[in-house]
């Protein structure tokens, strides 16, 4: 009997060690194998659980990380070590040398994600706007004088393409008209613009934009006395906001500070030739179409 107790006492740690090894190999395989991955999403979310119900942070695009060799939750997430704890990152947000995507749901999600990006590659907008400006000129032909307010009303057509994940390239065509007592100004603008997306979600976007436009045609008229032709340019910048109402259509609003210079007006005697400038704010609203 004295020999049986030592034998049982010595077998206990061996059994516990074998059990621990068995559980480790069967329930924690991600601790034994890892692979390199590169984050492909702008901000890949890190989750505390496999079901992706508790986000705890994010990793920026281009970051090289270590993820588990075996994916979880129907191949939707990879395990990742964060501050000594196991967390999870979506498979579609990273690229690995060995990608094993067995989930049909995940394959469809990858396809849809790419399709959505392609849909947003180009956009088209039609808007109306008000240009509330102050005129600057050193000569006058009627009651309109230097630093008087001049309100323009216009319409614009804009076409845009997505240059990359942060920048858009725009082409703009506008027509605007202003009347101050008997004096009337008209201008056609055509030019280009760049826009940085500072907030970019699937249904709501905010862009910081800058535009430079030539004015190949402008006119200046005084009642029935004369109407002369000129030219000019416009430069300005501000913010635009777009809210998608459906798959393709949405609302767009914009506002900013603009400077317009007109020149080339040759008025008949006894009137003065003028080359006015206008500076002020433009506010507009319209419809956009994404395709």
């Amino acid at each position: 009997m004295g020999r049986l107790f030592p034998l049982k006492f010595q077998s206990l740690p061996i059994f516990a060690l074998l059990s621990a090894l068995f559980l480790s190999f069967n329930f924690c395989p991600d601790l034994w194998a890892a692979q390199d991955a590169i984050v492909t999403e702008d901000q890949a979310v890190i989750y505390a659980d496999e079901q992706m119900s508790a986000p705890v942070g994010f990793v920026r695009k281009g970051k090289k990380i270590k993820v588990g060799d075996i994916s979880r939750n129907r191949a939707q997430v990879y395990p990742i070590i964060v501050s000594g704890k196991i967390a999870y990152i979506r498979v579609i947000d990273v690229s690995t040398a060995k990608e094993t995507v067995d989930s049909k749901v995940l394959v469809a999600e990858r396809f849809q994600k790419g399709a959505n990006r392609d849909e947003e590659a180009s956009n088209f907008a039609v808007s109306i706007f008000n240009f509330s400006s102050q005129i600057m000129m050193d000569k006058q032909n009627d009651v309109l004088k230097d630093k008087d307010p001049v309100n323009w009303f216009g319409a614009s057509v804009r076409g845009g393409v997505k240059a990359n994940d942060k920048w858009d390239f725009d082409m703009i065509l506008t027509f605007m008209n202003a009347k101050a007592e008997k004096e009337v100004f008209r201008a056609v603008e055509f030019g280009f613009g760049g826009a940085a997306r500072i907030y970019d979600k699937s249904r709501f976007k905010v862009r910081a934009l800058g535009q430079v436009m030539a004015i190949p045609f402008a006119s200046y008229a005084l009642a029935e006395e004369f109407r002369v032709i000129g030219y000019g340019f416009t430069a300005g910048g501000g913010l635009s906001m777009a809210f998608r109402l459906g798959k393709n259509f949405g609302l767009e609003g914009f506002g900013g500070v603009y400077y317009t210079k007109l020149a080339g007006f040759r008025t008949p005697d006894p009137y003065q030739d003028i080359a006015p400038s206008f500076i002020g704010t433009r506010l507009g609203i319209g419809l956009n179409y994404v395709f």
Side-chain angles (χ1 to χ4, degrees):
M1 294 294 291
R3 293 182 179 180
L4 293 177
F5 285 102
L7 289 175
K8 289 183 178 180
F9 181 77
Q10 292 174 6
S11 64
L12 182 60
I14 296 175
F15 176 76
L17 179 60
L18 292 175
S19 299
L21 290 173
F22 175 80
L23 292 173
S24 298
F25 277 109
N26 283 275
F27 295 99
C28 302
D30 50 275
L31 298 178
W32 300 93
Q35 58 180 328
D36 291 327
I38 296 178
V39 178
T40 57
E41 187 65 16
D42 289 339
Q43 290 186 347
V45 179
I46 303 296
Y47 299 93
D49 59 341
E50 294 182 11
Q51 289 70 36
M52 298 174 287
S53 62
V56 294
F58 65 88
V59 184
R60 294 192 181 277
K61 184 176 182 179
K63 180 75 173 178
K64 189 175 181 180
I65 59 176
K66 289 279 189 181
V67 299
D69 196 44
I70 300 176
S71 56
R72 294 284 184 268
N73 189 12
R74 295 180 300 171
Q76 293 190 82
V77 294
Y78 282 126
I80 181 175
I81 301 298
V82 178
S83 300
K85 297 181 180 180
I86 297 179
Y88 299 89
I89 188 169
R90 289 169 64 88
V91 173
I92 61 171
D93 291 343
V94 299
S95 176
T96 64
K98 178 185 175 184
E99 287 188 320
T100 55
V101 182
D102 299 324
S103 170
K104 293 182 179 180
V105 175
L106 185 57
V107 172
E109 191 172 349
R110 279 185 184 272
F111 177 80
Q112 186 61 44
K113 189 175 181 180
N116 288 340
R117 286 177 176 173
D118 291 340
E119 285 177 1
E120 298 175 1
S122 303
N123 60 87
F124 178 82
V126 178
S127 306
I128 56 174
F129 66 90
N130 169 252
F131 180 24
S132 180
S133 69
Q134 183 182 72
I135 191 171
M136 294 175 287
M137 60 181 185
D138 55 4
K139 301 175 183 178
Q140 66 182 83
N141 288 312
D142 197 53
V143 297
L144 187 63
K145 59 184 182 299
D146 186 43
K147 296 185 179 180
D148 277 353
V150 176
N151 278 318
W152 298 73
F153 295 94
S156 68
V157 177
R158 180 189 60 78
V161 294
K162 188 175 181 179
N164 53 44
D165 289 339
K166 292 293 184 182
W167 291 91
D168 295 336
F169 177 75
D170 294 335
M171 293 182 62
I172 310 104
L173 175 66
T174 73
F175 171 79
M176 57 183 186
N177 177 86
K179 184 175 182 181
E181 298 295 337
K182 297 180 181 180
E183 293 174 89
V184 178
F185 296 92
R186 292 187 175 92
V188 175
E189 301 171 323
F190 176 76
F192 304 93
R197 291 189 298 280
I198 57 180
Y199 185 83
D200 188 4
K201 298 298 181 181
S202 60
R203 288 196 172 274
F204 184 68
K205 291 177 173 58
V206 179
R207 307 189 309 160
L209 53 87
Q211 297 172 346
V212 177
M213 295 175 283
I215 301 178
F217 172 83
S219 69
Y220 167 51
L222 175 59
E224 301 297 328
E225 299 298 322
F226 63 81
R227 181 174 179 268
V228 292
I229 305 301
Y231 52 86
F233 72 91
T234 292
L239 292 175
S240 72
M241 294 178 289
F243 180 74
R244 188 182 295 187
L245 299 175
K247 181 179 179 181
N248 299 105
F249 286 96
L251 295 176
E252 180 172 294
F254 61 89
V257 177
Y258 285 78
Y259 173 82
T260 296
K261 175 68 176 180
L262 301 181
F265 297 134
R266 297 291 182 262
T267 57
D269 292 334
Y271 298 102
Q272 302 286 330
D273 294 340
I274 64 171
S277 300
F278 305 85
I279 186 168
T281 57
R282 292 191 186 187
L283 296 174
I285 189 171
L287 295 174
N288 63 29
Y289 179 80
V290 177
F291 59 97

